[in-house]
Amino acid sequence: MKDYFIFFKNNSPEIRFGWTLTFLSSFGQTFLISLYVPTLLEQFHISEGFFGGIYAISTVIASILLISIGHTVDHKPIRKVSFYTILALAASTVLLGLSRYHIAILFVALIGLRLNGQALLSHISQTILSKRFQVDRGKALSIASSGFPMGEAVFPVILTSLLIWKGILVTTLSSAAFLLLYLGRLLIFEVKSFDEDLDPSRNTSGKLIVGEFQELLKEKKFWIIAPASMSLSFVTTAYFFYQYVFAEDLNWSVTLYASFFTVYAVCRFVMAFVGGLLVDRYSARKVFRFYLLPITIGMIPLIFTQHIFAALFFLAMAGISQGTAGTVKTAVVAETFGTAKLGAIRSFFNMFMIFSTALGPLVIGMMMDQDFPFYSLILSLALLLFLALLNSQRLSAKKFPKIA
């Protein structure tokens, strides 16, 4: 840990900036949006399946928009890109509170939350840190990634209390006000070091973006890296989206189950730092080949028993994989494809990842509607992870030389 303290001390402004962006991305993440779901279902008199469909469509649209916006981090000043992204996230949060006037407002709000929160803020953070730190990339990404579990630990408690006390409108307006206050803080952050490698002359026409996307799809290494990222997002989003439905159906104590999230958050937080050390010591490629193993193992007890402590084991193992993923997913793309066009390339990867977060709840929800038993749902998710884990073993340093 001494290395982390020295590294943070020497690079504090850049690391704090990256961490803050991942922390604020919580406002567009599934775990936070799910807090509003009961209110929204009652507000519009719609079913869980109908809302899941709206959520899936809005997330897919956000993923498509990402590839037309994500490249801006390669050639636009970081302060400007971050400012407008946070401003748009705050506006989307306000729209969520005003959605009671029409369901179309809800749809637009969800697109904005998913695009600017879950997609862009985390994308900006991970991309600029990967470019800025070549040698200590693992440490930089791991510290920044700790913003995700911190958001999971802090925001649900605060927003749930606000929802119970004052309702959805006050809660969303308070969230937007918090984001707007940060914009003032952004003006005094030292972020010029992130702009040293910008390429303002880069052509960003739609034709070029489509061409780069087509070239990426022809790369064998893309079809090795992308499935691992997509499968993890698919599985975790699907499970967490319906976790309290599972808890009720299996007669688990909701209070006890909710307390287990502390274990998940701690494991994810710790592994964010451990993952960074592993990446710097062994390379992202080597760590990438095994980061899906813990969550895959974690699902095995849930297949054979419905005891609540099987869920505790799964959450702990999921936290290990998720914490490691926060560092290794970006680092392996930077190692394999280089950093010159990292913003554009990561936006393509993130498009597929975000698409999988839309597909997960939709597919599992349809299976639940067809009365698939719990163990078969978990078995399906475990098999998906296992296949992705096998596929990731194809990432060989000999076949794909490391690119700085």
Side-chain angles (χ1 to χ4, degrees), residues 281-292:
R281 177 172 295 184
Y282 300 108
S283 84
R285 292 167 181 243
K286 291 182 179 179
V287 179
F288 173 83
R289 295 173 64 186
F290 301 102
Y291 85 98
L292 288 179

Side-chain angles (χ1 to χ4, degrees), residues 103 191 264:
I103 198 168
V191 296
Y264 169 78

Side-chain angles (χ1 to χ4, degrees), residues 165-177:
W165 182 38
K166 288 294 185 179
I168 188 172
L169 181 59
V170 171
T171 303
T172 52
L173 290 177
S174 300
S175 299

Side-chain angles (χ1 to χ4, degrees), residues 30-151:
T30 298
F31 78 89
L32 210 61
I33 296 174
S34 65
L35 298 177
Y36 299 107
V37 172
T39 302
L40 294 171
L41 295 180
E42 182 180 354
Q43 182 174 283
F44 291 107
H45 305 289
I46 56 178
S47 67
E48 289 86 348
F50 187 81
F51 180 79
I54 295 175
Y55 189 74
I57 294 171
S58 62
T59 300
V60 169
I61 292 174
S63 71
I64 295 172
L65 290 173
L66 177 62
I67 63 171
S68 64
I69 301 174
H71 61 82
T72 56
V73 75
D74 290 330
H75 57 88
K76 297 289 184 183
I78 299 306
R79 194 191 307 275
K80 183 177 181 180
V81 174
S82 302
F83 183 91
Y84 285 113
T85 300
I86 295 171
L87 184 64
L89 180 59
S92 300
T93 305
V94 172
L95 283 178
L96 182 63
L98 298 175
S99 64
R100 59 183 176 178
Y101 295 109
H102 201 283
I103 198 168
I105 300 177
L106 172 64
F107 184 62
V108 174
L110 289 174
I111 294 174
L113 290 170
R114 300 297 281 159
L115 173 62
N116 297 287
Q118 194 231 8
L120 279 175
L121 282 186
S122 57
H123 170 69
I124 294 168
S125 172
Q126 301 285 292
T127 302
I128 60 177
L129 290 176
S130 291
K131 287 187 170 190
R132 178 70 178 83
F133 300 100
Q134 299 287 337
V135 176
D136 294 307
R137 183 180 288 141
K139 294 185 185 68
L141 292 173
S142 62
I143 296 174
S145 295
S146 68
F148 294 122
M150 188 62 68

Side-chain angles (χ1 to χ4, degrees), residues 310-322:
L312 174 61
F313 179 71
F314 166 72
L315 289 173
M317 300 301 276
I320 292 173
S321 286
Q322 284 280 54

Side-chain angles (χ1 to χ4, degrees), residues 263-390:
V263 176
Y264 169 78
V266 169
C267 289
R268 182 171 182 177
F269 184 83
V270 171
M271 286 307 298
F273 293 96
V274 174
L277 292 174
L278 293 174
V279 165
D280 286 342
R281 177 172 295 184
Y282 300 108
S283 84
R285 292 167 181 243
K286 291 182 179 179
V287 179
F288 173 83
R289 295 173 64 186
F290 301 102
Y291 85 98
L292 288 179
L293 186 59
I295 189 174
T296 306
I297 294 174
M299 289 197 133
I300 295 175
L302 285 172
I303 298 172
F304 297 101
T305 177
Q306 297 180 354
H307 197 283
I308 190 171
F309 285 103
L312 174 61
F313 179 71
F314 166 72
L315 289 173
M317 300 301 276
I320 292 173
S321 286
Q322 284 280 54
T324 309
T327 301
V328 73
K329 287 195 299 183
T330 297
V332 76
V333 173
E335 283 186 11
T336 308
F337 291 92
T339 59
K341 299 179 181 179
L342 187 59
I345 293 172
R346 282 198 78 251
S347 67
F348 295 140
F349 275 92
N350 283 344
M351 182 194 73
F352 284 97
M353 184 272 291
I354 296 170
F355 179 77
S356 69
T357 66
L359 198 59
L362 184 63
V363 171
I364 296 301
M366 293 172 64
M367 293 177 70
M368 292 170 68
D369 288 343
Q370 297 299 317
D371 296 324
F372 277 77
F374 175 74
Y375 78 87
S376 66
L377 299 177
I378 299 300
L379 178 61
S380 300
L381 296 176
L383 286 174
L384 178 64
L385 287 170
F386 180 69
L387 291 174
L389 179 63
L390 286 180

